[in-house]
Amino acid sequence: DTEVTQTPKHLVMGMTNKKSLKCEQHMGHRAMYWYKQKAKKPPELMFVYSYEKLSINESVPSRFSPECPNSSLLNLHLHALQPEDSALYLCASSQAPSQGYEQYFGPGTRLTVT
Amino acid sequence: QQQVKQSPQSLIVQKGGISIINCAYENTAFDYFPWYQQFPGKGPALLIAIRPDVSEKKEGRFTISFNKSAKQFSLHIMDSQPGDSATYFCAANHTGTASKLTFGTGTRLQVTL
């Protein structure tokens, strides 16, 4: 199974809402990533978890809060977002942090902030 | 120094033709160069990758050419098909550091009938 799954597929939220994005992989990968992708742009790295610990935070605003409850699951908690945060949010995983050159991406969650 | 420059921004190729996408990098610490393919509404998928000790790698209709001295690499898609229509991102990674992929800006390929 080489699949990374993400739920929900689409999410519309108001600026005062709290919501969460979920990502799951069952490949035994020990590195997991959150990316933000705007239309016609490359994915932009937000966070990296290595062995369930946060190893990279690319200066992401605190209204985005990642969580890695176990080695298969990655969440992104959202609170008080702005309309400019509307984007495709991608989760990815790699076998190990040192193998970040080979990342498997999920289909993404299309987020719209109203 | 962390940038990867990619061209062209968009490309239209007739069915059966050759699609060529070029990338250039500056950071000589990069030692792994993957290409990702992304269809609309989907996440990127690893297509093919190369290390700098190899000048060419071929997988089916997809070939990466690598020029270490020029710090350039390119993707060639032979016999391009409409199903190849997608956005292609080149990327670079330094395997000695933690996990980051540096992406190019992307090329939107359209293969016409």
Side-chain angles (χ1 to χ4, degrees), chain A residues 33-36 44-48 54 56-61 64 76 78 89-90:
Chain A
Y33 311 78
W34 279 115
Y35 288 86
K36 173 182 177 179
E44 182 184 331
L45 184 66
M46 301 174 71
F47 303 104
V48 181
L54 183 65
I56 296 177
N57 175 342
E58 292 286 273
S59 303
V60 178
F64 295 91
L76 185 63
L78 314 172
Y89 287 84
L90 294 162

Side-chain angles (χ1 to χ4, degrees), chain B residues 12-19 79-81 110-113:
Chain B
I12 300 174
V13 173
Q14 276 199 321
K15 181 182 174 182
I18 302 173
S19 304
D79 187 27
S80 299
Q81 298 297 312
Q110 183 182 352
V111 181
T112 60
L113 292 169

Side-chain angles (χ1 to χ4, degrees), chain B residues 46-112:
Chain B
L46 181 62
L47 188 63
I48 186 172
I50 198 168
R51 291 192 182 278
D53 53 349
V54 175
S55 61
E56 186 174 281
K57 183 173 181 182
K58 186 175 180 180
E59 288 184 5
R61 296 184 294 108
F62 299 91
T63 300
I64 301 178
S65 297
F66 191 89
N67 185 330
K68 188 174 180 178
S69 60
K71 290 187 282 185
Q72 294 175 349
F73 57 110
S74 59
L75 177 69
H76 291 62
I77 306 174
M78 312 301 287
D79 187 27
S80 299
Q81 298 297 312
D84 297 329
S85 298
T87 299
Y88 292 81
F89 293 100
C90 62
N93 176 262
H94 176 206
T95 56
T97 61
S99 313
K100 286 189 183 186
L101 279 172
T102 301
F103 284 96
T105 48
T107 296
R108 204 165 179 179
L109 170 65
Q110 183 182 352
V111 181
T112 60

Side-chain angles (χ1 to χ4, degrees), chain A residues 4-97:
Chain A
V4 175
T5 59
Q6 289 188 245
T7 54
K9 283 187 168 48
H10 301 275
L11 178 63
V12 179
M13 60 185 290
M15 288 190 284
T16 58
N17 291 160
K18 284 185 182 181
K19 297 285 184 184
S20 296
L21 310 184
K22 179 180 170 182
C23 171
E24 204 159 2
Q25 57 87 14
H26 295 288
M27 296 178 278
H29 287 179
R30 302 311 299 275
M32 295 185 77
Y33 311 78
W34 279 115
Y35 288 86
K36 173 182 177 179
Q37 187 178 29
K38 290 281 205 177
K40 300 184 181 180
K41 297 288 187 184
E44 182 184 331
L45 184 66
M46 301 174 71
F47 303 104
V48 181
Y49 272 84
S50 301
Y51 301 101
E52 294 102 72
K53 292 194 186 323
L54 183 65
S55 60
I56 296 177
N57 175 342
E58 292 286 273
S59 303
V60 178
S62 60
R63 57 185 184 269
F64 295 91
S65 175
E67 179 196 20
C68 190
N70 59 58
S71 61
S72 300
L73 192 55
L74 189 65
N75 297 319
L76 185 63
H77 302 297
L78 314 172
H79 172 56
L81 295 192
Q82 303 296 310
E84 59 264 28
D85 296 322
S86 298
L88 181 68
Y89 287 84
L90 294 162
C91 173
S93 69
S94 65
Q95 192 163 1

